[in-house]
Amino acid sequence: MLRFIFRRLLSLLPVLFVVSVVIFSLIHLTPGDPARAILGQNATNEQVAALRESMGLDRPLVEQYLGWVGGVLTGDFGDSYFLRKSVTEAIGDNAVPTIQLAVIAIIVAIVLSVPFGTLAARFRGGRLDRSVMGFTLIGMTVPSFVLALALMVVFGLMLRWLPISGYVNPFEDFAGGIRTLIMPGIALGAITAALITRTTRAAVLDVLNADYIDAARSRGVAEGRLLFSHTLKNASLPVLTIIGLSLGGLVTGAAVTETIFNIPGLGQLLVTSIARRDYPVIQGVILFVTLIYLLTNLLIDLLYGIVDPRVRVGKA
Amino acid sequence: MAPNSPATTNTAAPSTTVLAMQPVAARDSLWRRMLGNTGLMTGIVVVLVIFVVSYVLPPLLHLDPYAVDPANRLAPPSAAHPFGTDNFGRDLFARIVSGASTSLLVGFVVALVSGVLGAIIGIAAVFNSVLDQVLMRICDGLMAIPAILLAVALTAALGPSVTNLVIALTIVYTPGIARLVRSRALAVTSETFVTASTMQGAGMLHLMWRHILPNTLSVLVVQSTFTFAESVITEAAMSFLGAGVPAPQASWGNILYDGKSVLMQAPQMILITSGFLIVTVLALNLIGDGLRDLVDQRSRSLVGKPGVFARMAAVVTPGRFRQEVKR
Amino acid sequence: AASGDGGDAAKDVVNVVTPAQPSTLDPQISTESIMGEITGSIYETLVVTDENLVPQPMLAESFERSDDGLEYTFVLREGVKFHDGSELTASDVVDSMNRWTRVSIAADGAFDGSEWTEVDDYTVKLTVPTASFLHLLYLSDIGTSYPAIMPSEVIEEFGDEPVQDIVGTGPYTLKEWDADQRIVIEKWDDYQSVDAPSSGRAGAKDAVLNEVVFSFVPDAATRTMGMQSGQYDVTPELPFDGLTQFQEDPNLVLGTYTIGPINLVYSDRAGGPFENVVNRQAVNTALDRDPIMLASVGSEELYDLVHHNMTEPQQAIWDTEVGKAEFNAADTAAAKALLAEGGYAGEPVTLLVTRDYTEAYNAAVVVAEQLKGIGVDVKLEALEWASYFDKYKEGRDEWDLTIIPQGTVTDPTQTVGFLPNRAGYYDTPELHDLLARFRAAPTQDDATLIFDEMQQYIETYRPLTRLGDAHNVYAASKDLELPVFNSHFVWWNASWK
Amino acid sequence: MHAVRGVTLELQRGEILAIVGESGSGKTLTARAALGLLPPRTRTGGRVLLGGADVLQAAPEALRSIRGGEAAMIFQEPSTALNPVFPIGWQLEEGLRAHGVTEPAERRRRTVEMLRAVGIPDPERRLGDYPHQFSGGQKQRIVIAMALALRPSVIIADEPTTALDVTVQAEILDLLRECRDDFGASIVLITHNMGVVADIADRVAVMYRGELVEVAPVDELFRSPREAYTRQLLAAVPRLGGGREEPDASPASAPTGASDSTTSTAVSAAPAAPAPAVLLDGVDIEYRSGFGTKPVRAVRGVSLQIARGEVVGLVGESGSGKSTIGRAIGGLETVAAGRLEVLGAELRGLPRRRLRELRRRIGFVFQDPAASFNSFMTIEDCVIEPMRIHRVPGGRSAHRARAAELLDAVELPGSYARRYPFELSGGQRQRVGLARALALDPELVIADEPTSALDVSVQARVLDIFTSLQRELGFAALFISHDLAVVELLADRVGVLQGGELVELGATEQVLHAPQHPYTQQLIAAVPVPDPEVQRLRRRAEDPGHPLLDAEAIA
Ligand SMILES: Nc1ncnc2c1ncn2[C@@H]1O[C@H](COP(=O)(O)OP(=O)(O)OP(=O)(O)O)[C@@H](O)[C@H]1O
Ligand SMILES: Nc1ncnc2c1ncn2[C@@H]1O[C@H](COP(=O)(O)OP(=O)(O)OP(=O)(O)O)[C@@H](O)[C@H]1O
Ligand SMILES: [Mg+2]
Ligand SMILES: [Mg+2]
């Protein structure tokens, strides 16, 4: 077990290395110039060239890469061009709201979708199933920005219950923080919830007709327990996977929602950094996100073995 | 534990009286089973209609999705413009109808390609732990690369085109599907019937295709339809950045995106387009669910009445289907 | 608390919402208008304009121009303090102004060869190689890359790179900069006001508001809704369609101000169709500007059509009849004839545009349609800003037309058509000659005469076609007294009613 | 199509009613109907009264308390009746929890006791194990434990002892009897083992093609069966001591192996003969499961040789490693120590391609037929599958013809070809498994209890076919079975396995009639005789019952 985890953790290194190379090349492949972004559209070429030189952007790519990787290995991810702080700080600051948001969204999603997905599968074709499926259909197809705007109009403008945008850290001001996180949490959670609900339903349908369910029923196990404990565990591999993926996706995929609700999260940071070619931040954030993906997926892989004893990931 | 029916103790404990049971025989031919599956048929019909409409109507009605008329921008629905106009005064009906082909194309190709690739990767991964490690790490890495960056870089390298967009979106969606399929496949490979097939000397391909794939179909279908919807929407975000569908060309995603900034003035842009998208995705869902029912006879729960399609077919070809309809 | 509801308790805070933070607050370097909006009350300059656009002293107590126009003398006010507590002296001014001459775009050209020297602790002297009306104009203009005065220590520290220590002499100080979130400026209690009535940017600055909070909200819909809900009090830019939407809102006061011209720029790349001036003229003749501008800004109230190369508010100074008759011909038949004459044979034409500026993109869509109408095979290429700008600057061979919005400028030499290193690359000796003559015009009147000639140059060479001038909609809470001058809010004169 | 038609049955309190009948005659469906557990897509008519309440109409809540509480069912196929992702202890406790045993310690205690009662060794440790870690017979006993743990007043046992060796079977039958005697439970026992019927039943119901043809007290039925089908059934019962049909007809190539009658001597391969079909030499097999758990050594030092064309029977205690040996020969388990050669190839380190090629020549019948079919494939497809895999010439139509032929050989009507595995009865599925194993004319057949779910008449016919095919094709076979009579009928030699070790190996005659090892002797003594009177006498002669449920009874 420990050896497996250790091996997996070791295997993160080559992945991070490859990702860093890919990201570095991708970034430098894209047109656009941070120096020009800093100086604005009226800057002369000489000014831009001078700034590029002082930022080290005129050096050969390999040299720039090695310099960056060298820094990363010593824990120095460089400084942002625009944020007046180091990349580590920037990620640290922006990860907090993102993670809070992701956690809220994923909790909302799980709490809603796993039970509803399971019930929908159980009563397949029935009224409950159809309405749940209808909702998930909307959750899946309505773009998150539309949902976000609709929420804003209703709760921010018409009812005036919640602030339109902005972010307050709930650890500093709990009520205020929660108020700012509710709408983005719902907007983000909705699409995730739709996906998890559908996946749960599909996975539960796969096992619902198994004989062991009938057998457990014959022993008088209550339908609810039968569904939520017996069936669900058999169906949980895909469900766990989709939850893991969504969690990872929420960290980056939240960009649209974060932008709309103006939450200073990683997604927004990444998007704005890409727009203004803030190389160190882009690289740092992507490495961070890669790490998150790798770790959640490692966790999920471990959970597979716990949930389904027949599955042994990473063994021949 | 005492039996709780003391009164009847000595008479009958269980007494089976005149029991008759009729398992309903499966409908035989694939074609009949499809006809019997109303959801599947509805889905197919709807998708066909949308396809036909998007490819046939524009030339037929001489729809011009590009004709601008700024004086008439954001007009509500009227006789001249049944869906109203967009922020350039272009006819929304023409744009939605002709945008359908682009969106459907992008959505279908991405959903299909990433579905197929994801299924292959996910299933292949369960056969070999080294391969699994390599493939899954690659997927993890790919998942972290943001779609925007990929789009911008691809456009820079290859120029904007729908193909590049499809490539970028496929790269973005495949890893997730692969992981999901893998999770189901992992459980399936430990089933005895897979061992049984192995024991008959089945090769990897056979196992993948005949045993594991059908069993992962359910999650695959969910994920693919989701990918369809997502790529239709994401397509717009990418086009916004210059990757993908060239600017004035209509696509549902573009219309949604344009509609966002005039949500208050012209809600119909988002409402109508979303409506179309929902119907399409619904149809795809029906097809997906139906396909799943075709392979998985066991979970098919609805019996009895033949669907409308079976009845219609019975009317058209009376001899062949009468028997079934009666039953 | 900064992003509160506008607050009844603290009616001395104003919440401003804008799309993006400035990349730097260095007033001498940055060309972003939001920088000017924020730093305008932090930094001060030697001279500023009053409401009649006449230069008045600010940090200078008085100033004087020699008769030959080659020498300016500025006597500084005594006892003016920087936010860091140090006192303003001539050396600070000299260092600041010399740096400005080096790093600022605005000074480029007009201040070539000029030199600032310290006469005594409170007197500085500017010597210029040729007399020009431009000098005072630039010294008093506060918008982008303006001649703000900062302490010598700061300049020493940062040299020609963007400064990070924001230390000025104005009535507000930078209190907080939460990257990508907000910038807060705060009233500075030690401010030394001029003893003269307030007029334009000149005169007394008795700040009332305690704090101005600039929040950066990238999404337009969010900004609008934030304004509607009262979460924000002021926004310098509503989306264009906001005008019709909010005209009836009882809580908001709307206004417009010119943000600048939208130009269609031609690339004269070798082998391209627009290498030939006839084809450029053809396009110019073909365009029907009203629909273009209507699509661009969404409302007839938000654009004007100006036939010459300056924006509408400057009409008083720069008016010219040149080109007026031919302007906005919208004559497709003539255009087709011109195209035939120019030998355009239907080769594909790339119209480069960015979606990050809606007004440009929207105009481009209509322009493309109109060009198709005269038989030009236009392909629209819409890129995100950084890629767009890279291509616009470095990839001149990859596009034929581009539509680019421009901010308001102080004088014609700053407009795209007269920038030899920009846009269509019409870097001809004739242009240089014109520019040199223009810059050497000692007075405004002399310059106005040359402007006719310059305008004629545009008409003849057609490096660009002017589409129209866009106006921004700003909105403010109706409870707020908020003067606007020269497209900028005057924060020290703002107060809650 | 009617699966069950007009069945009327009554069960008295404290009575043991045996239902026998042809495979596929509707026994399981009838039993399931008693609890209202019908497969999807069935239509029912009639009534099922359980203690006065109609199960088919009952409200869900009432149904729930009936299920498990008043009536419990032991499912025919244990492998599919156990949830693979829960430890068996948890699953056992689930039933108790559902019926109001709230105290966790109490639940655990009863669980452990029940497991001990059904003879699972070391129950405390195995509570946390998952179903796949148990042998077929152990799973079956766990399922029995589950049903009995609830002390239901009606027990419906659907072939509860098919996977059990005779000694364990005897213990389970004792257990059932105890349930009746001590708690007054009524028992419906579905079985095809006439010995069991004779041993335990009070009354017998005979089903044929979905209809009840005869109900009679057990003595009467055995003495003077009324219906023709019943007579036929009784006549088909194989009896231990009946010997092989043609004892001397063993193929010439088969060495009688008389020298291997004891385990200690190592197998000495016949020098002149071609490589034996199977050669095990000091084989150890281990199961490893879970991170950091101790490996289970299921097979220890087994040496065994199967010559070409020879049928070796493997009998032994449930959980002694029979299936494990079978799986190892098929290359499904790796050998921890020793040498294992199959059809001349050393399995260890055999490249995948070669292994596949080898498997083409092996037919394998799995112990649990239900789990070994993909429920997405029709049974025709299942039978065709090996032909497809190995691209047997002739194309689809030839494959289908061959499948029809095979299905016919195992007594399945052609109309079943388009059915799905879950639409078959247990015995029918088992026959499909056999058909599939024979599809490619294998050189070696590993049959893991291939007839355990078949009634005697069908079994007789299937065995007939098996032997004639075997004679015709000359394949070697490892025949794992609990039914000593069947083994006697088929095998040239018999190996006896206990606790993972081969305790006896020799010619069938010798092992079954002159057993050397005490375990073998015990085994043979325990075989029930299909005659109620004889059984009663035998039982009386034995010790008067070792109350397995004693510990339980005190509680
Ligand atoms: N789900 C189903 N759908 C259709 N037919 C079924 C289904 N289940 C069982 N049958 C059919 O019903 C008949 C009775 O099945 P049942 O399982 O009761 O047989 P059985 O008497 O228990 O046989 P066995 O001894 O082989 O277990 C069989 O012919 C079988 O093919
Ligand atoms: N996957 C596994 N992990 C751990 N132990 C196992 C596993 N499979 C089987 N065993 C154990 O190995 C032993 C032998 O099992 P096997 O299936 O070979 O028994 P068997 O002789 O076929 O018994 P039966 O007659 O009951 O089918 C049993 O004690 C069982 O508990
Ligand atoms: Mg049965
Ligand atoms: Mg076994």
Side-chain angles (χ1 to χ4, degrees), chain D residues 121 126 129-141 163-165 285-289 294-299 314-327 333 367 448-449 480-482 497 500:
Chain D
R126 302 219 69 176
D129 281 354
Y130 291 87
H132 71 276
Q133 291 168 299
F134 290 88
S135 81
Q138 287 168 336
K139 276 187 268 198
Q140 187 154 45
R141 282 178 279 161
L164 303 180
D165 62 288
I285 303 167
E286 283 179 357
Y287 284 108
R288 297 167 180 282
S289 46
K294 226 174 76 212
V296 177
R297 179 163 296 191
V299 171
L314 198 54
V315 299
E317 206 180 17
S318 164
S320 59
K322 302 182 294 296
S323 304
T324 309
I325 290 178
R327 288 171 62 88
E333 303 294 344
Q367 186 172 8
D448 198 347
E449 319 239 6
I480 301 169
S481 179
H482 291 301
L497 214 57

Side-chain angles (χ1 to χ4, degrees), chain A residues 214 219-220 225 233-234, chain D residues 32 64 83 85 94 97 99:
Chain A
D214 260 358
R219 272 173 266 132
R225 217 182 143 75
K233 192 172 177 196
N234 289 78
Chain D
R32 287 178 75 118
R64 194 177 79 75
N83 193 329
V85 303
E94 256 317 83
R97 183 182 297 136
H99 291 283

Side-chain angles (χ1 to χ4, degrees), chain C residues 92-400:
Chain C
D92 295 314
V93 175
V94 170
D95 286 343
S96 297
M97 296 313 291
N98 278 331
R99 177 177 187 264
W100 177 72
T101 320
R102 286 194 307 273
V103 300
S104 148
I105 309 285
D108 197 33
F111 283 79
D112 284 351
S114 65
E115 202 187 333
W116 294 79
T117 44
E118 182 179 340
V119 178
D120 59 44
D121 269 1
Y122 292 101
T123 317
V124 289
K125 198 170 72 186
L126 163 67
T127 44
V128 290
T130 45
S132 169
F133 73 101
L134 287 171
H135 297 135
L136 268 187
L137 203 59
Y138 277 107
L139 289 178
S140 60
D141 185 61
I142 295 180
T144 56
S145 52
Y146 61 92
I149 305 297
M150 46 182 82
S152 297
E153 298 85 71
V154 174
I155 292 169
E156 220 161 274
E157 188 182 345
F158 293 96
D160 290 356
E161 308 251 305
V163 298
Q164 313 236 342
D165 292 348
I166 308 304
V167 181
T169 55
Y172 285 88
T173 59
L174 180 71
K175 181 186 178 198
E176 178 194 342
W177 184 350
D178 188 356
D180 274 343
Q181 282 300 294
R182 68 178 68 86
I183 289 178
V184 182
I185 59 173
E186 185 184 34
K187 185 168 146 187
W188 185 48
D189 294 330
D190 292 347
Y191 179 68
Q192 296 288 315
S193 181
V194 186
D195 192 14
S198 192
S199 159
R201 296 187 80 89
K205 300 178 180 175
D206 297 316
V208 182
L209 295 174
N210 203 30
E211 269 182 13
V212 182
V213 181
F214 296 87
S215 300
F216 307 113
V217 179
D219 192 82
T222 313
R223 289 198 302 276
T224 354
M225 280 191 228
M227 285 301 297
Q228 268 181 294
S229 73
Q231 188 171 352
Y232 305 111
D233 307 311
V234 180
T235 181
E237 58 171 290
L238 276 180
F240 294 112
D241 282 308
L243 181 65
T244 42
Q245 189 186 341
F246 293 117
Q247 253 155 358
E248 272 91 66
D249 194 317
N251 296 318
L252 295 179
V253 176
L254 301 189
T256 64
Y257 59 91
T258 315
I259 42 167
I262 299 175
N263 291 316
L264 173 66
V265 175
Y266 305 88
S267 159
D268 68 341
R269 69 176 170 91
F274 299 113
E275 194 185 7
N276 187 344
V277 66
V278 182
N279 288 333
R280 304 204 285 265
Q281 297 291 15
V283 169
N284 188 53
T285 312
L287 294 183
D288 181 3
R289 288 171 176 75
D290 280 299
I292 295 174
M293 289 311 291
L294 192 56
S296 173
V297 296
S299 158
E300 277 168 9
E301 295 159 60
L302 290 180
Y303 69 89
D304 353 86
L305 301 182
V306 183
H307 66 277
H308 60 72
N309 240 30
M310 292 304 285
T311 39
E312 194 246 4
Q314 296 133 329
Q315 213 151 11
I317 312 176
W318 299 114
D319 204 7
T320 170
E321 294 296 306
V322 177
K324 189 168 190 174
E326 299 83 33
F327 182 67
N328 202 13
D331 185 343
T332 45
K336 278 182 190 157
L338 280 171
L339 275 184
E341 185 194 330
Y344 173 74
E347 52 265 48
V349 164
T350 303
L351 170 51
L352 186 68
V353 72
T354 176
R355 289 197 85 138
D356 292 67
Y357 288 96
T358 14
E359 64 271 37
Y361 172 74
N362 288 356
V365 170
V366 184
V367 166
E369 278 304 298
Q370 295 191 356
L371 291 186
K372 272 184 212 160
I374 59 166
V376 180
D377 178 14
V378 199
K379 200 178 116 256
L380 204 59
E381 187 174 337
L383 300 177
E384 50 90 51
W385 170 253
S387 310
Y388 165 81
F389 202 66
D390 214 51
K391 204 165 208 177
Y392 169 66
K393 279 283 215 187
E394 321 269 340
R396 65 175 291 199
D397 290 343
E398 293 163 45
W399 52 271
D400 301 292

